[in-house]
Amino acid sequence: MAQLQRIAIAPTQIQQEQILLTPEQQHYLRRVLRLYEGEHFIAMDGRGKWWLAKIAGEQAQVLEPLIVETELPVAITLMIALPKGSGFDEVVRCCTELGVACIAPVLSDRTLLNPSPQKLERWRRIANEAAEQSERAFVPTILEPVAFSHAVTNNTATHRYICEARGELVHLQNALTQISGEIVIATGPEGGWTAAEVEGAIAAGFQPVSLGRRILRAVTAPIVALSLITAVCEV
Ligand code: SAH
């Protein structure tokens, strides 16, 4: 299975054992991956299902479903204040590799930019590529950016954490006990969260946690947080 090329498809593209390929997917399979008629590849629907398929004209034929074991036993949502510049591309790529289920960009008091719709498309493309590369069965969902205050009050995950760089706080690793179901973890922008934001999150049921004694960059913090969660949940 490892040698086969993989592409992400939408669940609706599969109909009666046939995958209706878009012109872009046909181009990608034939011109970019250089697969010929009848050759096999893996189709992933981004929701945990993989199929072995073979190219048949403008479609692909489903040969058999595949079992994958590359997903985490918990669904992690990363709530992240958008960092400056292209830092978010790297966050999307790394956190997808680490197994994140959903990335929820938020606009915080110290976030300056409100990204264009093209940026969202770009992040979704990066998530697709990273999910393929890391052999995930699931492409993370990237939500549209919303205000942080809105995101925290509307979150219903069973385990909620907000990373705060300063203060005597419990370490995330020690806070992760009896974890199952959904986890949401929030990381702030370069300038950090404001006190009001942290208070608002606590009032909404988030536990403030530390990632260690050093101040991490806005791009590093989510990667460390995800690594700690995977280390605790996957053993
Ligand atoms: N400029 C801020 C730090 C911002 S770091 C200051 O000097 O206080 C960007 C974000 O990364 C923070 O908002 C926090 O969510 C996270 N972060 C960085 N280091 C951290 C640490 N040691 N523990 C917990 N969160 C941290």
Side-chain angles (χ1 to χ4, degrees):
M1 190 159 107
Q3 296 86 349
L4 292 175
Q5 302 285 356
R6 294 169 296 271
I7 65 160
I9 59 162
T12 48
Q13 285 182 267
I14 295 208
Q15 284 167 21
Q16 288 154 6
E17 310 286 295
Q18 296 292 320
I19 302 172
L20 311 174
L21 297 169
T22 63
E24 292 78 27
Q25 288 166 339
Q26 290 173 38
H27 175 84
Y28 182 70
L29 285 166
R30 289 179 181 275
R31 301 263 172 268
V32 182
L33 301 181
R34 302 197 175 278
L35 296 183
Y36 295 108
E37 187 71 11
E39 279 198 281
H40 293 184
F41 67 95
I42 293 169
M44 329 185 314
D45 77 347
R47 294 188 181 172
K49 294 214 181 96
W50 286 29
W51 294 271
L52 182 66
K54 78 172 181 188
I55 302 190
E58 295 186 350
Q59 303 184 358
Q61 192 188 333
V62 173
L63 299 173
E64 59 178 289
L66 297 172
I67 311 252
V68 279
E69 291 175 340
T70 49
E71 292 300 321
L72 291 168
V74 287
I76 308 172
T77 292
L78 171 68
M79 195 178 278
I80 172 170
L82 283 165
K84 278 188 230 144
S86 61
F88 200 64
D89 289 7
E90 205 49 33
V91 170
V92 172
R93 200 183 310 279
C94 294
C95 291
T96 301
E97 288 173 41
L98 287 164
V100 77
C102 174
I103 299 179
V106 291
L107 306 170
S108 69
D109 291 347
R110 294 188 181 136
T111 310
L112 301 173
L113 64 173
N114 194 350
S116 63
Q118 288 84 345
K119 278 276 170 82
L120 193 62
E121 258 175 53
R122 176 183 167 77
W123 298 331
R124 287 179 173 153
R125 213 170 44 242
I126 291 172
N128 255 297
E129 285 167 11
E132 283 183 27
Q133 186 275 323
S134 53
E135 304 198 357
R136 289 194 55 185
F138 188 97
V139 179
T141 308
I142 312 228
L143 301 178
E144 305 223 359
V146 294
F148 178 65
S149 55
H150 180 82
V152 283
T153 44
N154 283 285
N155 195 280
T156 55
T158 32
H159 307 276
R160 290 171 244 176
Y161 305 101
I162 178 165
C163 297
E164 169 58 24
R166 291 171 197 272
E168 286 295 309
L169 300 170
V170 60
H171 194 285
L172 174 62
Q173 187 169 348
N174 298 330
L176 295 168
T177 49
Q178 302 193 323
I179 295 297
S180 63
E182 292 172 71
I183 299 180
V184 60
I185 183 125
T187 60
E190 283 85 354
W193 301 115
T194 59
E197 284 172 331
V198 176
E199 278 161 29
I202 293 170
F206 282 65
Q207 177 181 0
V209 288
S210 164
L211 298 174
R213 296 193 181 163
R214 288 144 303 278
I215 307 292
L216 306 171
R217 285 184 308 133
V219 172
T220 313
I223 297 168
V224 171
L226 262 288
S227 308
L228 286 167
I229 300 172
T230 60
V232 169
C233 295
E234 250 180 356
V235 286

